[in-house]
Amino acid sequence: MFVDTEIGATTPRRQHMPYVEYLLVAALVAVTIVLFFVMGFFSEASAETGQDRPQHFAGYVRPNDMGTGALLFPSKEPGSFVEAPRLATDVQIDVNGPILRTRVTQRFQNPSKGWVEGTYVFPLPENAAVDTLKMQIGDRFIEGEIKAREEARKVYEEAKAAGKKTALLEQQRPNIFTNQVANIGPGETIIVQIEYQSSVHQSGGEFSLRFPMVVAPRYNPDPIVETVDLDPNSGYAVRDPVPDRDKITAPVLDPAENAKINPVTLTVNLNAGFPIGTVTTSFHETDVQTVDDMARKITLKNGGVPADRDFELSWQAAAGKAPHAGLFRQTIDGKTYLLGFVTPPADEAATETTPKREVVFVIDNSGSMAGKSIEQARESLALAISKLRPEDRFNVIRFDDTTSVHFPSLVQATPDKREDAIAFVRGLAAEGGTEMLPALEAALRTQGPIEPGALRQVVFLTDGAIGNEAQLFEEISRNRGDARVFTVGIGSAPNTHFMTKAAERGRGTFTLIGSEDQVAARMGELFDKLENPAMTDIAVTFDGANALDITPNPMPDLYRGEPVVLTAQLDGAAPAGKLQITGKTGDQPWRVEMDIAKASEGKGIAKLWARRKIDDLEANAYAVNDQAVLDKQIETVALAHHLVSRVTSLVAIDVTPSRPAGEPVASTDVPLNLPQGWDFEKVFGEKTLLEGQRKATLEQAEEQAMLVADRMAAAPTARAASLIAEAGNQVNLPQTATLADRYILIGLMLLAIAVMAASTFGLWRWQMRGLILEARSRVQ
């Protein structure tokens, strides 16, 4: 029974053996065919790193493809990256009396084998009147045209899509600009020139200029969720204090892992207009060549320097030769534009009657101040506190992502209170975010009323590395009262736009401290201003001339050594008449009169007037109900004077397409150096923690970097830097990478071998079982 059953069961199975063998052979053939297809696919993928790569992979690289160090950004192709364009900058500054003309030449080099679009975030002086954009293609220069911002962006995108070389210059802040250059070919260099007009700074008998070289990373507060009434329902709205945070953020290299990039060469042709005494530079070594007694040529000693700190040049007049007044004139389109400056004489009697002061010191100890900046700030504040008189009252407020007020209220500046405050200041460490608004509110709103006869002064020590300037300007304008706000800029790359405008709106003054050896001298100048009453009630009038507009409006208060600087637009090509400036120091009146007919001829004065007119309009934006009306006013002035502004841009287009049809263009951001003296870990470690309100583990950080890579594939160019910022402001690529394609191929081969081995073993086992059954049947 048993044998018959087994034989009965076995016989039919052996009859189906050929079909099983056919299936096994077919499986092996199928695996072999798949293997060949896979090998062909990865062979093509490997070829993509060479000249014959398919178009949809053009310009992409993998870390192992790189023979030199480079910054790579994730692309839309999995496992592939885009190499960032390289940048070199040449700067020429021509000084003619009080007027500066600067030409900035940027060379964008594409080191990759594909077509790219590069975006560079860069700084300019906050008073720069940018009026020229030129793009060089071979021997040709293409002049940029000024257009309304949205129109310029549309024209640029159309030219980019058509494969034409094009450049777009936009203002993100008065001191932050972006330059986008599209369709840079493989290995190609595109040259873009930018020119702007500005003016010389004067204070205390010293003349100076400052050229910023790097945009310091900005701290951007989180969006604010607020309840709103929605007719008749209630709901929530999100208000972003930094609506353009994507535009002002750029990838920053960690100096511990990367060499400094973006080299800059710089030349200053100084024609002071008076015999020059000393010429000094604060942060760079220079060669100074004497042309004549009124002219010098200044160059960087070592040729090029990395763009990681501001360039500052100062000069003084020869003894007894310092000018105290000047008037310059330019006539354009039937209108006359004036630039005038007058330095009022010091009132020695006022010094003897300095009023009691109430000083609120505010110090920034956020992560961006780590390193030399916090050392300079601590030393500066300790020195300021030590200079207080016993009859003065004071307090100290410090802030990072939190705010604390040292004394419950203003206290008398007795020796023990001063020592207590200095000890507090010297114990401050730099860490955390830069939540500046609560500290400013505490300084302006919570220190109680001003005592009769006293002068309230708020002294703000910070690098100004924030993106929500508008919030702070509004706070100062609305809640300053009778107080004066003084700003002290700390570090190698402070936000001079914020510092200057905050002081203007606070009717105070702005002081820069870029190195430790400047602390004593610069703070000494500030003490002199704090201890002397301001020249107030300054007014400008014209006798015999029709003034259409005068800037700034209103005229700010002045302190000892500061000049009255104004620009004006007059009706008429050659007006006569007198310019009259009046004011008073304490109870003493002061007046000066200048003959317009005797004004010297100057260039660029109309653009300086237009730049300052736009500044005046922007300064009152918080009080304007209709934003569209304000934008139209700014646009009208900017277009008439060919200036870049918040609502106008310069765009240059080559009429001839250069990128072949079908070739894609990859968009990348030009990386920036970390400003000299900044601590990368303090800035970006704290920023990741505080802005996201989370503490990411290593695994979370890796997942976030992968998310950035995925999102960048579909994100517009303007979002690239923001997405990188969300992953800690730096996508840290591995130094080496696994050969994924090779490993997958090997895995598939091993899988095929395993299938063949299993099939062979199964077939052998089946046949052996049949032989055993046959043997048993014969035995039975």
Side-chain angles (χ1 to χ4, degrees):
M1 186 71 174
F2 174 80
V3 174
D4 289 342
T5 304
E6 280 295 305
I7 294 174
T10 302
T11 302
R13 289 178 186 169
R14 285 190 57 80
Q15 290 175 351
H16 290 282
M17 277 294 295
Y19 298 102
V20 175
E21 293 175 5
Y22 296 153
L23 290 174
L24 291 173
V25 172
L28 291 175
V29 170
V31 170
T32 304
I33 292 173
V34 170
L35 206 53
F36 274 114
F37 272 109
V38 171
M39 291 175 67
F41 172 81
F42 282 107
S43 296
E44 289 182 10
S46 298
E48 287 156 13
T49 59
Q51 297 293 335
D52 299 324
R53 70 184 66 184
Q55 289 183 351
H56 66 282
F57 276 100
Y60 298 143
V61 296
R62 292 186 175 88
N64 273 13
D65 300 332
M66 306 306 300
T68 60
L71 180 65
L72 306 181
F73 291 124
S75 75
K76 62 183 180 181
E77 298 293 343
S80 297
F81 298 85
V82 179
E83 187 174 357
R86 295 168 187 165
L87 182 79
T89 303
D90 177 71
V91 181
Q92 179 177 313
I93 304 174
D94 295 323
V95 183
N96 290 291
I99 300 172
L100 303 177
R101 183 70 182 176
T102 303
R103 182 176 65 205
V104 181
T105 303
Q106 299 172 343
R107 290 175 173 82
F108 292 84
Q109 181 188 13
N110 174 15
S112 73
K113 297 177 182 179
W115 294 80
V116 300
E117 173 193 37
T119 301
Y120 178 46
V121 181
F122 65 100
L124 289 178
E126 69 284 348
N127 62 347
V130 182
D131 60 4
T132 301
L133 171 69
K134 296 178 181 178
M135 182 171 60
Q136 184 177 358
I137 309 294
D139 296 330
R140 296 178 296 124
F141 275 94
I142 300 169
E143 192 85 21
E145 297 181 6
I146 193 73
K147 296 181 181 295
R149 184 170 182 138
E150 293 304 319
E151 181 184 356
R153 166 62 63 180
K154 180 181 178 182
V155 170
Y156 171 82
E157 293 294 344
E158 290 175 350
K160 170 185 167 184
K164 300 175 182 178
K165 286 182 170 56
T166 178
L168 177 67
L169 179 66
E170 294 181 315
Q171 174 188 305
Q172 311 305 337
R173 295 286 189 280
N175 66 334
I176 300 181
F177 293 76
T178 54
N179 197 0
Q180 287 182 261
V181 183
N183 295 316
I184 311 175
E188 193 173 28
T189 297
I190 299 298
I191 298 176
V192 177
Q193 285 189 346
I194 299 163
E195 296 185 23
Y196 66 85
Q197 202 86 359
S198 57
S199 57
V200 171
H201 178 71
Q202 180 184 349
S203 180
E206 182 177 78
F207 301 81
S208 63
L209 65 86
R210 192 178 186 93
F211 179 78
M213 292 189 182
V214 63
V215 175
R218 297 289 197 262
Y219 179 89
N220 300 317
D222 292 330
I224 302 167
V225 179
E226 50 191 17
T227 304
V228 295
D229 291 329
L230 300 173
D231 230 298
N233 302 318
S234 294
Y236 291 97
V238 177
R239 181 166 58 90
D240 193 345
V242 194
D244 59 348
R245 62 182 66 218
D246 300 343
K247 296 286 188 179
I248 63 173
T249 305
V252 178
L253 296 182
D254 185 345
E257 300 178 2
N258 302 276
K260 292 183 177 180
I261 57 173
N262 301 345
V264 178
T265 57
L266 184 144
T267 300
V268 179
N269 298 310
L270 172 60
N271 183 9
F274 51 80
I276 300 173
T278 59
V279 176
T280 58
T281 52
S282 304
F283 316 121
H284 296 85
E285 294 184 357
T286 56
D287 290 320
V288 180
Q289 177 184 347
T290 299
V291 179
D292 56 44
D293 64 337
M294 291 192 292
R296 303 287 189 273
K297 182 177 181 179
I298 299 96
T299 56
L300 294 173
K301 183 177 287 292
N302 298 320
V305 297
D308 66 349
R309 71 191 79 182
D310 292 355
F311 174 83
E312 185 180 73
L313 178 72
S314 303
W315 61 97
Q316 292 183 327
K321 301 295 184 179
H324 295 290
L327 186 62
F328 299 84
R329 179 180 65 193
Q330 182 183 28
T331 302
I332 295 178
D333 297 333
K335 292 184 175 62
T336 297
Y337 297 87
L338 296 179
L339 169 64
F341 71 90
V342 180
T343 304
D347 187 348
E348 299 300 334
T351 305
E352 300 174 1
T353 59
T354 301
K356 293 189 299 181
R357 291 184 298 145
E358 299 177 346
V359 187
V360 182
F361 296 105
V362 183
I363 182 170
D364 178 354
N365 69 304
S366 64
S368 66
M369 293 284 288
K372 294 182 179 179
S373 294
I374 191 63
E375 296 173 8
Q376 296 163 16
R378 287 192 300 243
E379 186 64 25
S380 299
L381 184 48
L383 189 58
I385 294 172
S386 69
K387 294 289 186 179
L388 293 172
R389 302 167 302 177
E391 59 268 27
D392 296 332
R393 295 199 303 160
F394 80 108
N395 207 340
V396 178
I397 299 172
R398 62 107 230 136
F399 72 92
D400 43 38
D401 54 293
T402 61
T403 297
S404 63
V405 182
H406 186 54
F407 297 115
S409 60
L410 291 168
V411 297
Q412 294 297 135
T414 56
D416 60 324
K417 295 297 184 183
R418 293 200 302 267
E419 291 176 7
D420 179 35
I422 290 173
F424 168 71
V425 169
R426 293 196 185 282
L428 293 177
E431 55 188 1
T434 312
E435 293 290 348
M436 192 178 293
L437 184 59
L440 185 59
E441 291 173 343
L444 297 179
R445 302 186 193 184
T446 68
Q447 298 305 302
I450 301 175
E451 288 188 347
L455 180 63
R456 175 74 57 84
Q457 297 169 332
V458 177
V459 181
F460 220 97
L461 294 93
T462 177
D463 56 15
I466 54 168
N468 60 322
E469 295 98 330
Q471 277 189 311
L472 297 161
F473 295 155
E474 181 175 351
E475 173 65 22
I476 294 172
S477 299
R478 291 186 183 279
N479 297 302
R480 178 183 61 82
D482 293 328
R484 299 291 188 266
V485 177
F486 297 79
T487 56
V488 181
I490 301 292
S492 60
N495 181 358
T496 53
H497 163 57
F498 166 72
M499 314 296 286
T500 301
K501 294 304 176 185
E504 285 183 6
R505 298 193 184 198
R507 304 187 79 83
T509 189
F510 167 43
T511 302
L512 271 174
I513 297 177
S515 61
E516 292 179 10
D517 56 9
Q518 290 183 332
V519 170
R522 297 285 169 92
M523 289 303 290
E525 295 172 10
L526 178 60
F527 299 150
D528 192 39
K529 294 172 182 178
L530 291 173
E531 293 171 358
N532 288 277
M535 174 171 282
T536 59
D537 299 335
I538 298 172
V540 179
T541 58
F542 287 87
D543 182 13
N546 182 23
L548 302 177
D549 217 323
I550 303 171
T551 65
N553 182 25
M555 297 297 294
D557 293 347
L558 296 178
Y559 294 81
R560 173 174 289 190
E562 291 185 337
V564 178
V565 181
L566 64 94
T567 60
Q569 182 190 60
L570 307 182
D571 188 15
K578 305 286 186 180
L579 166 65
Q580 299 173 339
I581 304 175
T582 59
K584 63 179 182 179
T585 301
D587 295 329
Q588 300 300 314
W590 174 80
R591 182 176 183 273
V592 68
E593 187 175 89
M594 306 173 76
D595 189 347
I596 297 174
K598 295 181 180 180
S600 301
E601 291 293 329
K603 294 182 179 180
I605 298 172
K607 293 184 185 297
L608 291 180
W609 171 85
R611 175 73 263 175
R612 295 178 70 164
K613 174 64 177 177
I614 291 172
D615 285 346
D616 284 348
L617 292 171
E618 295 280 23
N620 296 313
Y622 74 95
V624 176
N625 293 325
D626 192 339
Q627 185 69 33
V629 172
L630 173 65
D631 290 351
K632 190 61 179 178
Q633 291 175 334
I634 296 172
E635 181 183 301
T636 300
V637 176
L639 291 177
H641 294 271
H642 207 261
L643 294 184
V644 177
S645 69
R646 179 174 55 81
V647 297
T648 55
S649 305
L650 278 167
V651 60
I653 301 172
D654 186 9
V655 296
T656 306
S658 58
R659 176 168 54 87
E663 283 281 357
V665 59
S667 299
T668 69
D669 297 284
V670 177
L672 305 180
N673 294 315
L674 190 71
Q676 175 68 21
W678 282 42
D679 186 318
F680 187 88
E681 293 299 326
K682 286 287 186 179
V683 176
F684 293 108
E686 294 294 343
K687 190 171 183 179
T688 301
L689 174 63
L690 295 165
E691 288 191 355
Q693 297 297 309
R694 63 188 182 276
K695 185 176 182 179
T697 62
L698 178 60
E699 292 77 15
Q700 289 173 322
E702 291 173 351
E703 291 174 3
Q704 198 171 32
M706 292 296 292
L707 177 61
V708 170
D710 293 339
R711 292 172 65 187
M712 281 189 68
T717 303
R719 284 287 295 158
S722 170
L723 296 174
I724 292 173
E726 293 175 14
N729 280 70
Q730 184 67 27
V731 178
N732 294 316
L733 301 178
Q735 298 301 312
T736 58
T738 61
L739 300 176
D741 51 358
R742 185 180 301 173
Y743 289 169
I744 293 173
L745 181 58
I746 292 173
L748 288 172
M749 292 176 66
L750 291 174
L751 179 61
I753 292 171
V755 171
M756 293 173 65
S759 302
T760 303
F761 177 74
L763 180 59
W764 173 82
R765 184 178 177 185
W766 195 282
Q767 291 174 339
M768 289 299 297
R769 184 179 182 186
L771 292 174
I772 292 171
L773 290 175
E774 290 178 1
R776 286 180 179 176
S777 65
R778 285 195 296 269
V779 171
Q780 294 294 331

